Amino acid sequence: MRIVIASDIHGSAFYCEKLVRAIRSENAETLLLLGDTLDGENYDDVAEMLNDLCAEIRILSVRGNCDSEWDQRLLQFPIMSEYSWLILNNRMIFATHGHDKLLKPKLLPGDIFLQGHTHVPSWEYRDGRYYFNPGSVSLPRRGSKNSYMLLNDDGFAWKDLSGNIYNTFHMPSSLSL
């Protein structure tokens, strides 16, 4: 299993092209987008790149605070859900953009909460649960890199758009995916 997790492309064709190249070089089976995908000056080009990609791999997405019904008309995969649940090897993964602070899912120990929105990568283990943010593909903040996350059998890796790892989080073997 190889899932690329990305957020906050904000209509940047330049950075979306780099992300698509990274996804292909990772041999990812799935792309999970955490919102704010098309809002920006090159939204038509970004939509075209992602639509081409969805012919090759599965794309899952949640709605960000900058995503709209118009964006959905341009994309060939659904983006309008505020959140999504995924199950991987008996582990629940809750994915959201993160702008709606009222979304407080019931997570059990070992479950994973994924969000974007802040444009800052983060990784935290708290109260037996995992909280992760891939940062931003196009508009990183607080000195972070243009980035994405790779989820595979070993855990999570935060990478810049050239594929260089700058942090990892390995899941304990008793909780591995």
Side-chain angles (χ1 to χ4, degrees):
M1 164 205 49
R2 297 181 70 77
I3 300 173
V4 167
I5 303 163
S7 188
D8 297 282
I9 298 170
H10 284 286
S12 171
F14 178 80
Y15 288 109
C16 185
E17 183 177 0
K18 288 178 176 275
L19 176 65
V20 168
R21 272 190 260 136
I23 291 164
R24 288 180 175 136
S25 71
E26 295 285 4
N27 293 315
E29 301 154 1
T30 302
L31 169 62
L32 173 56
L33 291 170
L34 299 178
D36 286 359
T37 303
L38 296 185
D39 178 60
E41 63 183 57
N42 305 117
Y43 62 90
D44 285 326
D45 295 333
V46 171
E48 184 177 342
M49 281 185 257
L50 293 174
N51 287 336
D52 289 346
L53 184 64
C54 80
E56 300 170 33
I57 67 169
R58 178 176 291 118
I59 299 180
L60 307 173
S61 184
V62 296
R63 182 181 188 161
N65 57 300
C66 295
D67 295 324
S68 70
E69 290 80 10
W70 178 256
D71 298 336
Q72 182 60 81
R73 292 178 192 189
L74 297 174
L75 293 168
Q76 297 171 4
F77 53 90
I79 65 162
M80 298 307 291
S81 177
E82 297 295 324
Y83 61 89
S84 181
W85 287 97
L86 297 98
I87 301 173
L88 291 175
N89 296 347
N90 296 317
R91 183 188 304 269
M92 295 292 284
I93 298 176
F94 181 82
T96 184
H97 183 62
H99 64 285
D100 185 350
K101 299 301 180 196
L102 298 176
L103 285 176
K104 304 229 185 258
K106 174 69 174 147
L107 298 175
L108 298 175
D111 287 346
I112 299 168
F113 182 93
L114 295 174
Q115 78 166 64
H117 186 57
T118 66
H119 297 225
V120 179
S122 64
W123 42 92
E124 183 178 354
Y125 178 73
R126 185 178 63 222
D127 301 323
R129 291 145 185 95
Y130 301 90
Y131 299 86
F132 299 128
N133 187 320
S136 174
V137 170
S138 68
L139 300 167
R141 292 187 181 144
R142 295 191 195 150
S144 62
K145 301 174 184 301
N146 302 78
S147 60
Y148 66 94
M149 287 174 28
L150 175 67
L151 169 60
N152 62 26
D153 294 330
D154 295 329
F156 293 86
W158 281 259
K159 297 186 171 191
D160 66 21
L161 292 177
S162 297
N164 300 308
I165 296 173
Y166 64 90
N167 205 348
T168 59
F169 191 96
H170 296 286
M171 304 301 280
S173 59
S174 62
L175 297 173
S176 68
L177 295 168

